[in-house]
Amino acid sequence: MYIGRSTAKRVMSVGLSVGSRLPAYCTSMGRVLLASLPEPELASYMDRIEVKPLTPKTILDKAVLGGIIRQVRLDGFAVTDEELELGLRSIAVPVKNHQGRVLGAMNIGVHAARVSAAEMIHRFLPILQEHAALLTPLLR
């Protein structure tokens, strides 16, 4: 669930607001949150979800999806590429408290035609990581 949101002044606008909910399996923030779960909880989630194709790029194979989420756990960030909505690419990082517990996530979403996935990692990941770290001392 979104608890805060800021948008750029561009033609493309994703219709999300505070309180919006999206499926965790196909969003960058959702994958970051899923990656923070202990393995038994992640396995339980994967067993019970119904994966729906929101776009032709939505990953539907649960084994592949589980592998991606486990890789997010190792990488410390997630990138999704037009899986939720065509034309939307996003990158997310965890927001942790001072004990290292993941309490949320923050992301940047872009128009896929304007910014490549590689550029998102190179350009936006360090900014997200820096700002997520700034929140850590404020969270208990």
Side-chain angles (χ1 to χ4, degrees):
M1 176 174 38
Y2 280 79
I3 61 168
R5 189 161 194 295
S6 174
T7 60
K9 294 181 181 177
R10 294 267 184 192
V11 174
M12 181 183 164
S13 173
V14 178
L16 296 174
S17 60
V18 172
S20 293
R21 294 175 183 263
L22 298 170
Y25 64 87
C26 63
T27 63
S28 60
M29 288 195 297
R31 288 182 183 171
V32 163
L33 296 173
L34 291 170
S36 74
L37 295 175
E39 188 58 36
E41 288 181 43
L42 176 58
S44 175
Y45 169 83
M46 295 303 296
D47 285 343
R48 71 178 183 271
I49 62 164
E50 181 184 345
V51 181
K52 297 178 183 176
L54 301 175
T55 76
K57 294 188 174 190
T58 305
I59 295 170
L60 303 176
D61 184 308
K62 287 186 180 185
V64 171
L65 192 54
I68 290 169
I69 293 166
R70 288 173 183 91
Q71 188 62 49
V72 167
R73 187 181 290 154
L74 296 173
D75 294 342
F77 69 93
V79 175
T80 56
D81 193 5
E82 300 185 89
E83 292 183 56
L84 174 68
E85 181 177 322
L86 290 175
L88 177 65
R89 180 174 289 139
S90 70
I91 186 169
V93 298
V95 175
K96 301 177 182 180
N97 67 8
H98 62 282
Q99 290 129 349
R101 182 171 172 234
V102 175
L103 300 180
M106 66 170 47
N107 83 326
I108 295 174
V110 299
H111 193 291
R114 290 193 174 137
V115 183
S116 70
E119 183 180 356
M120 292 192 76
I121 293 168
H122 174 74
R123 186 170 155 204
F124 298 134
L125 179 59
I127 295 166
L128 280 171
Q129 290 169 326
E130 176 185 345
H131 285 86
L134 290 172
L135 291 173
T136 297
L138 304 173
L139 302 171
R140 298 197 185 259

